[in-house]
Amino acid sequence: MTTISPTRVSMYDFLYQDTQPMISLLADTAKLSLPQVQLALGSSLQAIVTALLAYQELNQGSVVSKKLFSRSAVKELRKYNSMNFATIDATLYYRNDVIETVFGNSARITEASEYIATQIQATTSQVQTLLACLCIIVLRELAILVDYSKLDNEEVEKWFDLQPQFLSKQRFAVSLPDDSTALVTDLATTPPVFDPYWYKLMNFEPKLGTQTQDMQQATPNYLKAIGRVGDTSPEGQHDDMLVFAQMPAIALPHQRWLLQLAKICDIYLSRKRLRITSEPLEAPTRPLVSLGFMDTNKDNTPTTTSEKPIEYDKPRPLWKDPALVLTILVIAVLGALALLKYQIKQSNSVVPTTEAVLEQKASEQRVQQDVAIVKIDEENSATNGH
């Protein structure tokens, strides 16, 4: 059984780790020092995520998908596959329109910028530039995750509903249990503790305690539901089944789309797509989900996306395609037979041709001899006549 950290579906955790590679570029854009941006990053993302939650609560998931994730500014920014001056120029071009849409009004933007500026000893203008740039980048990253995970409007709605528990005081207050070794790597860059001030500024009331942990993840019913067999299968057959690891103060329903989203987030973070570099010649491949069974036992239950870690599509070697190999063999055998038949036909046609030539030469020789005999007889007759 393979576990994945619940924080992979946390917008705040994901974005904090995702934006780390571009801190120096943000510092240059906002005319801030690296320590200032590092300190401001957590608060800025908290403000943006809270603003998005308030927007979703007011407009629902369908509007979030259509009005935010499908904006022309987001589509334009998705053309870039790395961070550089060209990317940041596009970000700066659309920043004001996007941040005003997300935050609702300019007064909130100003108040948020002033609040962060006092924390890092910077000007409000500098922080507002940073906040606006991050706002459009956040929309771009979340839109990519929704696209790659193929989330519909209802699933986007549920994903947003899960977010407040990742911002709760209880989540940051508890320590990891002794048996949570698998989570240590995932939580190595845990973001700063969430500041409830942002709830007040955005007029957002979190709904906590509504999610329940699905404890069927180790039961035959759950295994059956996700395309696995029951506990009676041989030991070791389920080692690669993907499930969420237990995490204090976090409860997640185990829908397969949520596990798929978590794995795609994990792959996306491993690529470090926001690192500062020149634009690649070819865009990275999209993460795709394999629907094959992980174990060797035969089971008639349907395969699902949560059954196997997400892999990239790889071309199948030609020599592993039985149909192609059989076709090549048939063509080779038929070609050999045709060549053999042609050679036999050629060898048979040589003999009669040679015999015909010899017969023709013999006939010509007999004709020449007859002519010579006739001439001799004519000369003898003339002599005798005299």
Side-chain angles (χ1 to χ4, degrees):
M1 181 179 293
T2 302
T3 59
I4 190 168
S5 171
T7 59
R8 283 295 181 258
V9 295
S10 165
M11 295 180 185
Y12 178 42
D13 290 74
F14 169 81
L15 292 168
Y16 185 78
Q17 296 182 42
D18 187 39
T19 52
Q20 290 295 320
M22 59 176 301
I23 286 180
S24 59
L25 186 59
L26 290 172
D28 182 76
T29 302
K31 302 297 187 287
L32 295 168
S33 67
L34 291 177
Q36 283 177 313
V37 175
Q38 186 67 65
L39 289 173
L41 185 61
S43 296
S44 299
L45 292 175
Q46 289 176 23
I48 295 170
V49 169
T50 306
L52 287 173
L53 295 180
Y55 185 96
Q56 179 266 340
E57 185 179 53
L58 182 64
N59 299 284
Q60 306 305 315
S62 59
V63 178
V64 171
S65 297
K66 294 177 182 178
K67 300 296 184 181
L68 295 184
F69 295 159
S70 300
R71 294 180 75 86
S72 58
V74 175
K75 291 180 180 179
E76 174 66 24
L77 208 60
R78 287 187 61 176
K79 295 180 181 179
Y80 300 92
N81 296 289
S82 62
M83 281 293 156
N84 47 52
F85 288 114
T87 312
I88 209 67
D89 284 344
T91 301
L92 291 170
Y93 181 80
Y94 292 104
R95 57 177 176 157
N96 292 330
D97 174 63
V98 170
I99 193 173
E100 288 177 3
T101 302
V102 173
F103 278 75
N105 56 66
S106 57
R108 284 180 179 172
I109 300 173
T110 302
E111 187 174 346
S113 301
E114 290 175 349
Y115 186 78
I116 298 173
T118 58
Q119 296 176 342
I120 65 171
Q121 298 180 353
T123 65
T124 303
S125 176
Q126 288 174 311
V127 174
Q128 187 166 329
T129 300
L130 173 66
L131 195 63
C133 288
L134 277 173
C135 193
I136 186 173
I137 291 171
V138 163
L139 285 188
R140 171 191 185 268
E141 297 301 278
L142 297 182
I144 289 174
L145 294 182
V146 169
D147 179 23
Y148 284 0
S149 303
K150 302 185 185 305
L151 302 186
D152 57 28
N153 294 336
E154 182 180 355
E155 290 165 345
V156 170
E157 186 86 13
K158 293 180 179 179
W159 184 32
F160 272 77
D161 291 341
L162 294 172
Q163 299 310 308
Q165 63 182 331
F166 292 106
L167 307 176
S168 66
K169 184 184 301 183
Q170 294 80 6
R171 176 264 168 111
F172 291 99
V174 295
S175 58
L176 294 175
D178 294 336
D179 59 349
S180 60
T181 307
L183 294 179
V184 173
T185 302
D186 289 335
L187 301 181
T189 54
T190 302
V193 177
F194 182 77
D195 187 351
Y197 164 80
W198 300 113
Y199 284 156
K200 180 180 178 181
L201 176 62
M202 305 301 170
N203 195 24
F204 176 73
E205 185 67 30
K207 299 176 182 178
L208 299 175
T210 58
Q211 303 296 333
T212 58
Q213 185 77 3
D214 186 355
M215 297 308 295
Q216 289 186 333
Q217 61 179 344
T219 66
N221 289 335
Y222 177 73
L223 296 176
K224 185 79 171 178
I226 66 168
R228 309 294 297 192
V229 297
D231 295 335
T232 57
S233 61
E235 184 179 358
Q237 294 289 342
H238 301 153
D239 290 344
D240 292 325
M241 183 178 68
L242 183 65
V243 296
F244 283 116
Q246 295 293 317
M247 183 176 176
I250 300 298
L252 295 177
H254 285 261
Q255 294 103 335
R256 59 184 183 179
W257 64 266
L258 199 58
L259 286 167
Q260 176 177 325
L261 172 63
K263 190 59 184 179
I264 286 180
C265 290
D266 189 65
I267 293 174
Y268 197 81
L269 287 176
S270 69
R271 292 180 173 182
K272 297 185 178 182
R273 290 276 296 273
L274 298 187
R275 64 182 179 274
I276 304 172
T277 182
S278 58
E279 186 69 14
L281 297 178
E282 295 182 2
T285 57
R286 295 167 63 97
L288 299 177
V289 179
S290 174
L291 301 180
F293 284 106
M294 286 300 297
D295 49 25
T296 57
N297 60 298
K298 301 299 182 182
D299 184 46
N300 294 326
T301 52
T303 308
T304 64
T305 55
S306 63
E307 183 179 358
K308 183 179 180 181
I310 297 168
E311 300 175 347
Y312 306 117
D313 275 356
K314 295 180 180 179
R316 188 178 186 183
L318 297 180
W319 58 270
K320 284 189 176 182
D321 191 337
L324 182 60
V325 172
L326 181 60
T327 302
I328 293 175
L329 288 177
V330 170
I331 293 174
V333 171
L334 293 177
L337 291 175
L339 180 61
L340 180 61
K341 183 177 179 180
Y342 174 78
Q343 290 179 344
I344 293 174
K345 184 177 179 180
Q346 287 294 102
S347 62
N348 291 337
S349 64
V350 171
V351 175
T353 301
T354 304
E355 292 178 352
V357 172
L358 294 176
E359 180 67 24
Q360 183 178 0
K361 288 183 178 181
S363 177
E364 291 176 354
Q365 185 176 5
R366 286 196 300 270
V367 170
Q368 291 175 356
Q369 291 175 353
D370 292 342
V371 171
I373 292 173
V374 170
K375 287 182 177 181
I376 294 174
D377 290 344
E378 290 178 353
E379 291 176 358
N380 291 335
S381 299
T383 304
N384 294 331
H386 274 285

